[in-house]
Amino acid sequence: MSGVVVNDLRWEVRARGAGLPLLVLHGFMGRGSSWGGHARAFARHFRLVVVDLPGHGRSGSPIDPARASVERTADDLATILAREGWTPAHVLGYSLGARIALRLATAYPEALRRLVIESPSVGLATDAERRARRAAD
């Protein structure tokens, strides 16, 4: 599977393996293939679901940055999981993916079986910090 469209945004979604679904979410500037050898190991035990987050890899880049917010991304992921019958899913998120996974867990608890987060961040607290980060990026 590839090229799933949710709310006018194209998502790169790949699934392989068998068993309970495990959704893995990469970090900022990564892509689904960033999971490398971990993905191969996970696919031996789970129905592994790997996505490229909006603006990353082969997924679409929305014109409006708000369309790629943590909230909207979690909404889309809940739709993908439900549409494909992959709920409840184990969800593993790293960095940006961990922030999205947290939002998915709080907004759609019925969609998750288990949540694992690595290196999450709540984001930058002030406008000045966000401006400095955008300038540096």
Side-chain angles (χ1 to χ4, degrees), residues 113-126:
R113 180 178 306 269
R114 180 168 293 145
L115 174 65
V116 177
I117 55 174
E118 169 63 31
S119 302
S121 164
V122 296
L124 301 172
T126 68

Side-chain angles (χ1 to χ4, degrees), residues 34-93:
S34 300
W35 290 98
H38 289 90
R40 287 187 293 282
F42 293 151
R44 288 194 295 266
H45 305 282
F46 297 96
R47 174 74 170 160
L48 181 66
V49 179
V50 179
V51 301
D52 290 348
L53 295 172
H56 295 76
R58 293 184 176 150
S59 285
S61 294
I63 294 170
D64 178 5
R67 178 63 182 87
S69 70
V70 167
E71 295 81 8
R72 299 271 312 265
T73 299
D75 293 345
D76 285 0
L77 288 168
T79 298
I80 292 167
L81 291 172
R83 186 185 292 169
E84 298 300 323
W86 294 330
T87 58
H90 297 290
V91 177
L92 167 60

